[in-house]
């Protein structure tokens, strides 16, 4: 008798897909039945006994679970096809994050009950994951001054941009460099962050500026937030709000002192948050730093949390705490 | 007959000292007569026929010009000794940047006339150089909203931290990582930036937050500034203010569109500035990015501009434009 | 009742020590009771509830197992003290690799029976581990032409050099560079390789040249061997010899075709070997590439294999296969 | 009146083309009249007042000099078209290195007289440049044992592979990795090295093995050669042979002791060579290390030497010595 749920991973040869297959390999209750890649069809899938097949070759009715790791724009079609065939689906692209096709937006720590038992979840973008988890308890605690602008300066490793062959992602271009990109509201995640904040605030969300930068590293995101706060709120109050919100959460790590660095969180399914006082300014501000692995808590690891909730498993199944 | 000014470089085996010796090698009117290093005394000085000597072995009365590249705390003593011996002195450490011993603070583009002919100049810190050059024309043009806080998020290559053997600067620590450090007002440059802004504003300087980060690259600084502005000021007005201020300046490069990246400026004696509109916020804000090489325009190159002014030479002598 | 063996890790804040503590955290039958560091005494040991203590504060009689990760020259004294107190000891330094104090040289795949139940094992150097495992089956199969010289060109990430603050290991020195070091027989591992080959060959070992290089990466070793072979021996015969020798070994991975890269083995307790034919030369030669993580199979992971054997546990306990 | 030779650079937006345009910007007797790029047509050419044009838009009859930096396979057609239009042509691709269309193979230090005044020169490949310059004096001095195999283990930065968007050159693939590629005689440069050695030896060239590796750095090549030598030849004799051959050569730097590293030569038009004794082997062998910048002495800088010779200028014009 088979106690495993069988999963198919669509678009499994990209960085997120590879990470997901790796994580699923250690999951006690899910096994990968198919992994697709048009470009690498026929090649072995590292860490499994499988070979990549084209997406069209997958019979979704044989999968209880389907993860789509295809690029945004190509993903929703496959996700919906899989759902129609009866699978529960986690879409890791941005295609359904605005709720299309009834998809639920999946940050488990914030909206867990909405995810449980669902059959279509839109996995959040990497940047929004850290930002929303860092800010949610502060907004709930009422310490954010919503009349002022939150500045979010973020830096990401290159795997966040996917594995497609693009000149601007060549080693010769990225190495020894550091650059802002997608400034203003150009980055796809800007609207996603805005929507997430609006949901957290019942509409009266604070304004924010978001500037992502490309780091010459493979993986990891570090977000530096300049949060306008009310009155004498300092780092200690921020840490207290996080501790209250996340005391029972295995995948959010709150630092009492000090600030996490990029590598603090790499290859772990966790967002690590720390805060520091900002001195010498009259209007209150607290410096917040969030560190997480764009491929794990920012993608494949969070997808696994969502899948566990959808299947009725323990949320942390298959994920090291 | 000798048309050269003879220079001594104190602390010449560090990253800044090496860069300075390299630049001086191409200077048509200055030649290096002595280069000191306690640790490498006796070893050849790359690119010259010299060997390192201990600082105590230098007879400063034989040098018209002395550059001190020693670490902060060790530098001022040698700088003053050299001046007493009759040399003109550029101190690249932070020891004299508050004006001690009558030292003049040397950002040529901002306070050129104060430097000309002087005999003791404190070369600015790397971070402040870019920040002051980016903000000065905006403050002068009156477009900055001084009631709000400027957020300065900066990232620097590792050579900015010097060449001393410290565990936290090991390759094994820095590679694949990215971290905030010296937050709040802990970084030595915080006070220097504050003093520079105060001078630019006759005292009524805007508040600012400054968060430096350590990048896993060898050289280069990228500063991302979130500048609160008045009314409908946008990137176009910011660029116009820069263009007016720097039209004749060979070492400030203003980009009409697009934002410079770290590598834009590496190995050049230039600060490159660009601006972008910030959308979706009610209170005006402009995104400003400054890119420069911490070892060149942030240190040795600017020291050469200062030295040229002190000696009555053309400011750009020996520096590629 | 306590089913765990209690281990002390001496010198636990270096790269190898950190890796070992991390691996022990997942071991089902060993738990870390003490972790020492003079420099970081009092600081928390990541991933455990412990704090670093000075080595002198450890009561070795409370540990069934002691790992010494101290630098060569400082390690043997502590190792012997621990053994006298009744602990089984794995010394990860080079101090006892020549068999001093009765220490057994611990490459489990080659000399497993000698290790089982022992109380003092010298864990091999990183470079020798890959070289001996790659060559042993070829020497046993008689395909190596012992009248000619084996050329071993190796490249290692920086963590192999330890975590001491040395100028030549600074990020500013190592980044963007690649260099040969310890050439000729200068590297400590030269004699260790020679001794290992002599043991494999009963004295009539082939000559070899060994040139390590320093790579600008944190971890991983890639060894490229140019192996003179007899007659028409090609890559296929080399692979066959490996397959026969290592069919049952979980920690040696033989590639039938293609060559592993550095990253193939990173963070896994494995040596991955591949071979390619060398064409266009009259005298037979096969190209052999070995890839392994200097901190895992080259140090902490192998130490765990040894410890398991010493304690009578299953050799792969606590190590992912 | 115009004292400049006008040059066109075909394929000017790749790494080699960019470097060449940069170097030409400092040349006192050549100026760039046109720079072509299909992909970036219309965009400004950094460091010039020009904009990229499509290759088909260039009137070659207006150029005294044409450099083709197109990929191998696309280059010869344009090179020959330019020669027909009356220009002198340096082809930096591999298309004409076997002498097609009467092209002369251009390593100036070895075959200078054959290049002088020519109208079609094939610029050598990067790897062969260092290998031939390192070995030529040793072969001439008769110290190489030609009955044994020279092992050439080489490592190159990524820009050597060009600027085309290929998945295997993405930052996410190359970073933190190191790999052998093009082993056996698969690399295009294998035959070029063989042909060069044959020419140096009048046919009786020694056999060699050549294994290039890809380094996670942007630029630079380090070649480690294991040279079988006759009798008691050691590093000192090797250095003596180099010194005799290259005493007057500004672009070959011979180190009396020590070995150059990758960064020794970066951004300079030079091959730096050093040697070390190999101890403990009965048959004589000397370790030789050659360091050079693949984009400068390995490509654009050497192309400039060739162009100078073709135009009858001083060979080192426009190149720093």
């Amino acid at each position: 008798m088979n106690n495993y749920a069988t999963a198919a991973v669509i678009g499994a040869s990209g960085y997120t897909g590879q990470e997901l297959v790796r994580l699923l390999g250690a999951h006690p209750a899910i096994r990968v039945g198919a992994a697709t890649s048009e470009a690498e069809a026929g090649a072995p899938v590292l860490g499994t006994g499988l070979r990549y097949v084209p997406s069209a070759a997958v019979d979704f009715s044989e999968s209880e679970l389907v993860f789509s790791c295809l690029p945004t724009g190509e993903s929703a079609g496959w996700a919906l096809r899989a759902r129609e065939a009866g699978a529960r689906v986690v879409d890791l692209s941005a295609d359904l994050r605005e709720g299309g096709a009834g998809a639920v937006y999946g940050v488990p720590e914030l909206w867990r009950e909405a995810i449980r038992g669902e059959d279509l979840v839109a996995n959040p973008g990497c940047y929004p994951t850290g930002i929303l988890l860092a800010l949610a308890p502060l907004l709930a605690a009422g310490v954010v001054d919503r009349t002022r602008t939150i500045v979010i300066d973020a830096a990401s490793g290159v795997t966040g941009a996917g594995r497609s062959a693009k000149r601007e992602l060549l080693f010769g271009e990225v190495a020894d460099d550091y650059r802002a990109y997608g400034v203003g509201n150009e980055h796809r995640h800007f609207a996603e962050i805005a929507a997430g904040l609006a949901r957290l605030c019942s509409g009266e969300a604070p304004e924010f500026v978001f500037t992502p930068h490309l780091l010459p590293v493979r993986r990891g995101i570090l977000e530096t937030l300049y949060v306008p706060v009310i009155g004498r709120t300092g780092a200690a109050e921020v840490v207290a709000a996080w501790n209250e919100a996340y005391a029972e959460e295995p995948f959010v790590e709150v630092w009492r002192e000090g600030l996490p660095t990029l590598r603090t969180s790499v290859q772990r399914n966790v967002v690590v948050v720390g805060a520091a006082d900002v001195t010498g300014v009259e209007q209150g501000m607290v410096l917040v730093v969030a560190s997480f692995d764009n491929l794990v808590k920012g993608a494949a690891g969070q997808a696994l949390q969502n899948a566990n909730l959808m299947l009725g498993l323990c949320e942390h199944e298959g994920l090291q705490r």
Side-chain angles (χ1 to χ4, degrees), chain A residues 26-44:
Chain A
H27 198 294
I30 304 177
R31 74 170 166 203
V32 181
T36 83
S37 168
E38 312 308 310
E40 305 201 9

Side-chain angles (χ1 to χ4, degrees), chain A residues 8 35 50 75 181 243 288 291:
Chain A
L50 302 171
S75 187
Y181 70 101
N243 274 332
V288 165
S291 164

Side-chain angles (χ1 to χ4, degrees), chain A residues 114-177:
Chain A
I115 301 163
R116 218 184 286 278
E118 272 300 320
D119 62 4
L120 182 60
V121 169
N123 211 55
C126 49
Y127 287 118
T129 293
I131 293 164
L132 296 177
L133 286 171
L135 291 179
L138 313 189
L139 292 163
V143 299
V144 178
D145 177 355
R146 300 188 190 185
T147 67
R148 289 186 282 150
T149 302
I150 303 173
V151 171
I152 305 170
D153 195 283
S156 175
V158 180
T159 51
R163 205 174 166 222
S164 302
K166 295 178 186 166
R167 183 179 264 201
E168 70 264 28
L169 299 179
L170 290 177
F171 186 93
E173 304 296 298
V174 172
D176 301 330
D177 205 3

